[in-house]
Amino acid sequence: HVKTANGERPMTIKDLVRLDPESVQLWNGEKWVKAIGWQKQTAPEGCLEIILRSGERLRCSENHHWPTERGLIRASELVMGDRIKTCTLPEPETIISPFGLDDEMIGWFVGLYLAEGSRSEDTIMIASHVKETQRFEFLEKIARAYHGTLAIHQISENGCTVNLNGKILNAIIDTYIAGNTAKHKHLSPKCWQRSNRFLRSLLNGYLHGDGHFDTQNNRWRLGFTQNLELEADFRVLSARLGIGLRLRPYNMKQHEREFPTIRGE
């Protein structure tokens, strides 16, 4: 999680090392600290893969040091049961809250599109059940608020699509969502410039569309086609909002075929 001239956001190491260290700050769990530098390992030691209980997989060299409850431990000395220290990621010091793009309304709309949405040219299509009247009312409110239109088309006994049209509605999706298909849709960097209130509404919108609440165990269950960028987004969301998350790869069988998915809670 880095702070640069373009704001605060998650960034891959391969992108990070292209930047001047003088322009980068890193979150150390309590405050932002300036990066000192980076150096490529020309002859790296053996590479290890660490699988956390959350399902996250981390790769590093044997001599990488991890802050654990036993102290600072080399990766090669980690043992089953070690707990790596965690922290909550901070909200941006300067939160971007565009006038007219309400945190809760737009966050929920973006999250629902991430879960159930697709586009055909300029039409935003939200897959739905015919009885989801509360969803229809909310989407109609959004369409009216941003000078768009809404139409509902029943496509099966219980299924329908909610079609929204409007330049502003499409611009909102373009601003906050990258990728076009279930395998590639994920959050754009501008999402991380918004408040935790926006991100929580986004998560609520996603879970409304693609989640299932397990009342007995007080948890949300979710599953989606294997999309590593979206998986990473959920981990950052959880770290921003202080939410426990477990996600693991799973092969779903359907008609004697297997489809790689990710399931979790």
Side-chain angles (χ1 to χ4, degrees):
H1 202 68
V2 306
K3 178 194 283 189
T4 69
N6 294 322
E8 301 164 26
R9 55 173 289 192
M11 183 177 291
T12 62
I13 295 219
K14 68 179 182 180
D15 289 332
L16 178 64
V17 297
R18 294 171 181 160
L19 302 178
D20 179 356
E22 292 288 330
S23 68
V24 176
Q25 295 183 57
L26 304 173
W27 182 250
N28 74 353
E30 297 178 355
K31 61 183 180 180
W32 291 104
V33 294
K34 288 187 177 180
I36 297 173
W38 21 82
Q39 181 179 354
K40 185 175 181 180
Q41 288 183 296
T42 54
E45 298 183 27
C47 182
L48 300 177
E49 182 176 65
I50 302 166
I51 303 175
L52 303 183
R53 194 177 179 191
S54 67
E56 188 166 9
R57 294 171 179 263
L58 307 168
R59 291 183 178 180
C60 64
S61 62
E62 292 180 350
N63 65 356
H64 187 88
H65 285 66
W66 292 94
T68 75
E69 294 183 346
R70 293 195 292 132
L72 204 59
I73 304 296
R74 292 179 79 243
S76 60
E77 297 171 353
L78 288 173
V79 296
M80 291 280 288
D82 272 336
R83 295 171 65 93
I84 295 173
K85 291 184 178 180
T86 62
C87 67
T88 300
L89 296 177
E91 279 188 299
E93 292 180 354
T94 302
I95 294 172
I96 304 298
S97 298
F99 181 77
L101 297 181
D102 178 73
D103 280 345
E104 292 190 355
M105 177 182 285
I106 297 305
W108 192 90
F109 176 51
V110 170
L112 180 64
Y113 176 82
L114 185 63
E116 302 278 29
S118 61
R119 282 196 282 188
S120 176
E121 297 182 350
D122 294 331
T123 299
I124 299 169
M125 299 180 293
I126 307 293
S128 302
H129 190 282
V130 292
K131 294 183 179 181
E132 290 179 296
T133 54
Q134 187 176 6
R135 177 191 294 189
F136 304 154
E137 291 171 1
F138 194 87
L139 289 173
E140 186 175 14
K141 180 180 177 181
I142 291 174
R144 289 199 310 267
Y146 296 101
H147 212 76
T149 61
L150 176 144
I152 300 174
H153 300 281
Q154 188 166 349
I155 56 176
S156 65
E157 182 178 355
N158 295 313
C160 67
T161 61
V162 183
N163 292 355
L164 298 99
N165 288 89
K167 289 185 177 181
I168 300 174
L169 296 172
N170 275 280
I172 290 171
I173 298 301
D174 289 336
T175 299
Y176 295 112
I177 296 293
N180 298 314
T181 66
K183 292 183 179 180
H184 301 103
K185 279 192 299 184
H186 62 281
L187 302 183
S188 81
K190 290 189 182 297
C191 287
W192 310 117
Q193 299 173 1
R194 299 293 302 253
S195 68
N196 283 356
R197 184 183 177 199
F198 173 90
L199 294 179
R200 186 172 290 277
S201 296
L202 188 156
L203 181 59
N204 287 339
Y206 181 89
L207 293 173
H208 173 87
D210 222 12
H212 167 71
F213 189 68
D214 177 1
T215 305
Q216 182 176 352
N217 295 294
N218 193 33
R219 63 184 177 181
W220 281 95
R221 305 298 302 271
L222 68 159
F224 50 94
T225 191
Q226 193 173 79
N227 180 337
L228 300 182
E229 291 175 304
L230 182 57
E231 178 188 359
D233 285 340
F234 279 127
R235 296 195 187 281
V236 179
L237 269 175
S238 298
R240 275 278 297 264
L241 300 175
I243 293 173
L245 175 73
R246 293 186 186 181
L247 293 175
R248 290 186 174 88
Y250 179 83
N251 286 329
M252 182 180 70
K253 291 186 177 180
Q254 188 174 24
H255 304 302
E256 300 183 353
R257 292 183 60 190
E258 287 192 350
F259 299 90
T261 63
I262 295 173
R263 287 186 177 182
E265 60 190 63

